[in-house]
Amino acid sequence: MAIVTDRPDSPDAPDDPGPSTELEPAGDGAAVEVMSRTGVFARPTHATGWREWLFTVDHKKIGIMYGALALFWFLVGGIEIGLVRLQLWAPDGEVISADFYNQLFTMHGVTMVFLVIMPLANAFANYLVPLQIGARDVAFPRLNALGLWIFFFGGIFLNLSWFLGGGADGGWFAYAPNTGLAYSPGNGMDFYALGLQIAGIASLLGALNLLVTIINMRCPGMTLLRMPVFTWMILVVQFLLVFALPVITVALILLTFDRTFDANFFDVSAGADPLLWQHLFWIFGHPEVYILILPAFGIVSETLPVFSRKPLFGYPIVVLSGAAIGFMGWGVWAHHMFTAGMGPVSVAAFSATTMFIAVPTGVKILNWIATMWAGKVRFTVPMMFSVSLVSMFTIGGLSGVMHAIAPADTQQTDTYFIVAHFHYVLVGGALMGMFAGLYYWWPKAFGYHLNEWMGRWHFWLMLIGFNTTFGPMHIVGLQGMARRHSVYGEFDGFEFWNKVATIGYFFMFVAMAILAVNIFRTWGRYRRGLEPQADADPWDGRTLEWAIPSPAPEHNFDYVPVVTDVDDFWHKKYQPDSDGRLRRIANGKDIAQRGDQHPHLPSPSYWPIVLAMGLPLIGFGLIYNLWIAGIGLLLLVGSMYGWSLEPPTDPDAAHGHHDDHDHDDGGHDGDGDGHAEQNGELAASATNGEAAGD
C-alpha cells in the first residue's frame, strides 16, 4: 500500500521503508512511499498522446472510450440493418441471400443490445457516478480499465466472425435447436457464444466496481435518498447485472459445450428439455430490458427538472419505482414464451405479472409529466430528446401491456408488431434518453457545447425517421407479416409499408451522420479557439458534477463536498426570500471549485489491456485449436502475476500518483481550504469519498 503522510512523524509513516521503497515529496510537503521500479512491472510514466488513453485508469477517460466504442458499433449495427431494409424494399427481394439475411438480423440485434446500448449506459455511469457522489474515482480503477478492454476485445472477437466464415445466424436470442451444428454448421454461433461470454465478464466487473463505488464512496452527507436519480438507476442496474449475467453465462457455456465438445444440453433427441434455453435466456433477457432502459430513465430524471426549472416531482417515488421495476423484472420473463406450450397456469401467472410491472413504469411517466407541468420549460436539444423518450416509451409501454393479454400476444408473436414494440422501447426509450444525456453532459466532458442548430436537425430527423420506420411495423405485424423472413410475396399487401419503413431508416441514417459531423466539426472549431469554453454550470444544473470546472479535472474535486439535501448544488444557488419565493443568491460558475489542486490519483497501468488480450485468444483456441487457448491462458495468468507485482505508485509522477486514496486529505493543501471557506463548505476527510486502491 502506498502511504501518504502529512508529517514525517505520522503514525501511518513506515519506520523503515526498506530497500524496495523510498519516500518522495508529493508536491505539497507530504511524503509518499513509493515502490521502486521492478523491470517490466513498473507503472507507465508520463503517459501522453495515445498512451494516455491506452493505459489510463481514470474513470472519465474510460467513460469517454466506452461512448466512442458504442457509437462505432452503432454505425456497424446501422449498416447491418440497412441491408435488411434494402432487402425488404420490394416483394421477393434479391439484394442479399436468405442465409446472409439471417446473419444480418442476428448480428444487428446482438450489436445494438450488447455493443451499443449497454456500453452507452456504461459510458455515462463511468463518467458521471463518481462526480455525482463526490468521489475522485471509482473504487477499483485498474479493474475499471480491465472491464473496458475486455469489452473492446469481446466486440472485435464477436465481429471477426464476419471474416471467418460468417456471422451468427440463429437470432440474437439464439433459440435451440437453431444454434445446433445441424442448423448452424459454421463458426458464427461459436463466436456468438464465446464473444458474449467475454463481453459478459466486462459487464460483471463493471457492475461490481460501481456497486462498491456507490455504496462505499459517497461524500459526507450524501445518504441514499440524497443521491441523484441517475446514480440510483445505475445502482439498480448493477444489481440486475450481478444477478442476471450468471444466468446467461451458464446458458452460453452449455451452448459452447454442445457445439465444441458434443454435449447434449439442448439436443431434444438426446433427452434435453426443449424449453431449457428459452427459460435461461429470458430469465436474463427480461431483466436485460431494464438494464438497457433504466439508465435512460435516470438521465431524463436529471434533464427534465433542469430544463423545466422545477425539482423532480416525487423524487422518492421515482427512486422507489425504479427499484420496483428492477425487482419485478425478474417475474415476467415467460411472457416471451406464451406460445411455447407452458400450460394455462403459467401463462395466467405471467400475464398478471406483466400487467403489474406497468404500474411503476406508469408512475415514472406521470412524475415526469408533473415535473414539466407549469414549469418554465426550455426546449434545448437535451430537453427535446428527453420529451421524446417520455412520449415514445409510452407508446412502447402501451404495446407491451397488450402482450400481457395472452390471446393478443399469441397473435402478435413472431410478427413485425413485436419488432415495433421492441424498438419503441429501446430506440424510442433507451437511445433517445442517451442522446439527451450526450448533449446535456457533453460540455462537462469536453469543455464546449455541441452545435445547437445541428442538434435540432439531428433530433427532428431522428424522431421522424424513427416513427416512419417502426410505426408502420405495427400495421404490417397485425396484417400478419412474419419477422425474420427474408422475402414477402407480391400479393401479401406488405410492400407499401415496407417502403415507408425503409425511407424512415434513411432519415435516421442522415440524422446520425449529422451527429457525427456535429461532433467532429465542433471539436475542430474548439481546438482552433472558435468555440467558447463552457463554464462549470452551463445549464444551471442541480447535481455535484456541475460544481467543478468543465471539462472535469483529472482529480474531480479539489476538496470533498459535503451534501445537506437532494440537489444540494442547486440549493447553494437558490434560497427562499422572506415571502417564500426562491431567489438566486449565486451563480454556479462563481461557487464551483476551481480545479487547481493536485491530490494523489491512481497511476496508469499496462496490465488491464494485456490481461484482456488473453480472453479472445482462449476463444479462438476453443474454436480452432486448443494450443491457441493455451497461449491465451498463459497470457492471462502471466498478466495476473504482473498485475499483482505492479508497484502501486509511479515513481516519476510529479505528484506521486498512487492507487490508494484512503489517506488523502480531500484537498487540504495550498489554498484549497481557503476556497472551501469562500463557498461556505466544509472540506471533509476523504475516508468516505475517495477511491480505494485495487
Side-chain angles (χ1 to χ4, degrees):
M1 173 182 293
I3 299 175
V4 181
T5 61
D6 289 331
R7 58 187 186 277
D9 59 346
S10 166
D12 288 331
D15 294 331
D16 179 14
S20 62
T21 61
E22 57 180 332
L23 291 176
E24 289 193 358
D28 57 357
V32 181
E33 180 189 354
V34 298
M35 292 184 66
S36 60
R37 289 180 176 274
T38 314
V40 296
F41 300 118
R43 302 295 281 258
T45 58
H46 304 303
T48 57
W50 60 269
R51 293 180 181 85
E52 180 183 5
W53 294 85
L54 203 63
F55 305 129
T56 185
V57 296
D58 180 3
H59 72 96
K60 296 179 293 298
K61 286 186 173 68
I62 289 171
I64 290 169
M65 287 191 283
Y66 266 118
L69 288 171
L71 291 175
F72 168 76
W73 291 120
F74 197 174
L75 173 64
V76 173
I79 293 172
E80 289 166 346
I81 205 60
L83 293 172
V84 168
R85 291 309 323 161
L86 289 175
Q87 171 69 9
L88 296 175
W89 171 262
D92 302 313
E94 297 180 350
V95 176
I96 55 179
S97 68
D99 180 56
F100 191 48
Y101 182 92
N102 290 343
Q103 297 174 39
L104 285 170
F105 77 70
T106 298
M107 292 299 291
H108 167 75
V110 172
T111 299
M112 297 303 293
V113 170
F114 296 104
L115 302 184
V116 176
I117 302 180
M118 285 185 72
L120 269 179
N122 231 351
F124 288 111
N126 269 277
Y127 197 98
L128 293 168
V129 164
L131 300 182
Q132 290 197 334
I133 65 174
R136 290 219 170 104
D137 210 313
V138 294
F140 307 110
R142 284 189 296 177
L143 204 64
N144 200 26
L146 176 62
L148 168 73
W149 292 115
I150 290 176
F151 166 76
F152 173 78
F153 288 116
I156 291 176
F157 178 86
L158 191 60
N159 280 272
L160 279 176
S161 60
W162 287 116
F163 308 100
L164 297 171
D169 57 0
W172 81 278
F173 39 79
Y175 279 177
N178 293 338
T179 53
L181 290 172
Y183 297 98
S184 185
N187 291 325
M189 290 309 305
D190 297 306
F191 280 96
Y192 168 94
L194 294 166
L196 291 188
Q197 288 178 67
I198 294 172
I201 293 171
S203 296
L204 191 59
L205 292 176
L208 293 170
N209 204 350
L210 286 170
L211 278 176
V212 175
T213 300
I214 296 172
I215 292 171
N216 284 351
M217 296 176 60
R218 302 187 307 278
C219 65
M222 183 168 283
T223 61
L224 288 175
L225 284 179
R226 290 177 182 169
M227 288 198 313
V229 176
F230 174 76
T231 298
W232 252 112
M233 295 303 101
I234 293 299
L235 179 63
V236 173
V237 165
Q238 306 321 303
F239 276 112
L240 290 176
L241 283 167
V242 166
F243 289 105
L245 285 171
V247 181
I248 191 63
T249 301
V250 167
L252 292 169
I253 290 173
L254 297 183
L255 177 59
T256 300
F257 269 75
D258 269 17
R259 294 184 57 87
T260 306
F261 303 112
D262 297 323
N264 295 304
F265 292 107
F266 304 115
D267 185 353
V268 176
S269 64
D273 186 335
L275 297 184
L276 175 61
W277 172 270
Q278 292 191 42
H279 280 296
L280 289 173
F281 184 85
W282 289 117
I283 288 174
F284 155 81
H286 208 83
E288 170 72 1
V289 173
Y290 304 115
I291 289 167
L292 300 175
I293 194 65
L294 283 176
F297 285 179
I299 290 170
V300 300
S301 296
E302 304 294 340
T303 56
L304 289 174
V306 168
F307 297 113
S308 299
R309 299 188 62 76
K310 288 177 57 183
L312 179 66
F313 183 86
Y315 163 87
I317 303 302
V318 174
V319 169
L320 180 62
S321 297
I325 290 170
F327 179 78
M328 296 170 69
W330 294 100
V332 298
W333 81 86
H335 69 218
H336 297 272
M337 303 168 58
F338 281 171
T339 60
M342 294 187 302
V345 175
S346 296
V347 169
F350 283 98
S351 292
T353 58
T354 303
M355 291 181 187
F356 291 152
I357 202 169
V359 174
T361 307
V363 168
K364 277 183 174 290
I365 293 170
L366 291 174
N367 280 76
W368 294 331
I369 294 172
T371 300
M372 293 183 282
W373 188 264
K376 297 180 180 179
V377 178
R378 294 179 290 164
F379 280 105
T380 61
V381 174
M383 185 63 167
M384 293 163 71
F385 275 109
S386 299
V387 174
S388 73
L389 177 147
V390 177
S391 55
M392 296 299 102
F393 182 80
T394 300
I395 296 173
L398 291 172
S399 64
V401 172
M402 295 170 63
H403 300 135
I405 305 169
D409 180 89
T410 300
Q411 179 185 357
Q412 296 160 10
T413 293
D414 285 340
T415 71
Y416 265 82
F417 192 94
I418 301 296
V419 178
H421 157 68
F422 193 64
H423 284 83
Y424 267 85
V425 170
L426 292 187
V427 178
L431 276 178
M432 290 296 191
M434 290 178 189
F435 285 140
L438 182 74
Y439 284 93
Y440 180 60
W441 281 298
W442 189 273
K444 180 56 59 181
F446 298 102
Y448 61 92
H449 289 267
L450 289 173
N451 183 272
E452 182 83 3
W453 180 81
M454 296 182 75
R456 290 177 183 273
W457 273 101
H458 172 214
F459 167 75
W460 285 112
L461 287 173
M462 191 73 188
L463 183 66
I464 293 169
F466 166 73
N467 283 286
T468 305
T469 300
F470 298 107
M473 293 183 186
H474 292 104
I475 300 172
V476 294
L478 290 176
Q479 289 175 343
M481 183 174 177
R483 63 191 296 200
R484 301 191 290 273
H485 285 206
S486 61
V487 295
Y488 55 89
E490 181 179 357
F491 302 105
D492 289 341
F494 305 145
E495 181 177 2
F496 173 75
W497 289 117
N498 273 285
K499 279 184 164 54
V500 171
T502 303
I503 292 170
Y505 160 81
F506 285 105
F507 270 77
M508 288 195 291
F509 192 90
V510 172
M512 293 307 300
I514 290 174
L515 173 62
V517 171
N518 195 355
I519 290 172
F520 287 107
R521 178 178 178 272
T522 52
W523 174 67
R525 287 174 55 85
Y526 179 70
R527 292 190 66 186
R528 297 194 301 272
L530 301 177
E531 289 288 335
Q533 176 75 33
D535 63 43
D537 184 27
W539 305 115
D540 196 17
R542 309 180 70 89
T543 44
L544 288 180
E545 70 269 27
W546 305 110
I548 59 176
S550 299
E554 184 182 11
H555 59 277
N556 294 351
F557 296 93
D558 293 342
Y559 53 87
V560 178
V562 177
V563 170
T564 59
D565 204 346
V566 179
D567 295 339
D568 187 77
F569 181 61
W570 189 83
H571 287 289
K572 288 179 171 56
K573 298 181 291 181
Y574 294 90
Q575 291 290 329
D577 60 16
S578 57
D579 298 325
R581 292 177 296 183
L582 286 173
R583 300 292 185 186
R584 181 187 285 273
I585 61 172
N587 288 315
K589 64 180 180 180
D590 297 328
I591 64 173
Q593 299 183 20
R594 291 197 296 263
D596 55 1
Q597 302 300 302
H598 299 285
H600 305 295
L601 295 171
S603 297
S605 175
Y606 297 112
W607 295 110
I609 188 171
V610 177
L611 194 157
M613 291 179 185
L615 292 174
L617 287 177
I618 293 173
F620 282 120
L622 291 174
I623 296 173
Y624 294 109
N625 191 305
L626 289 178
W627 284 106
I628 303 175
I631 295 172
L633 186 61
L634 286 174
L635 181 60
L636 203 66
V637 173
S639 300
M640 292 178 182
Y641 181 72
W643 182 305
S644 67
L645 293 182
E646 189 173 43
T649 307
D650 167 11
D652 295 336
H655 301 290
H657 289 194
H658 62 87
D659 276 347
D660 180 22
H661 293 182
D662 287 345
H663 299 273
D664 191 350
D665 63 0
H668 294 199
D669 46 25
D671 57 358
D673 288 331
H675 191 49
E677 293 167 1
Q678 293 170 15
N679 290 317
E681 291 287 328
L682 294 175
S685 168
T687 53
N688 293 324
E690 298 292 341
D694 61 320

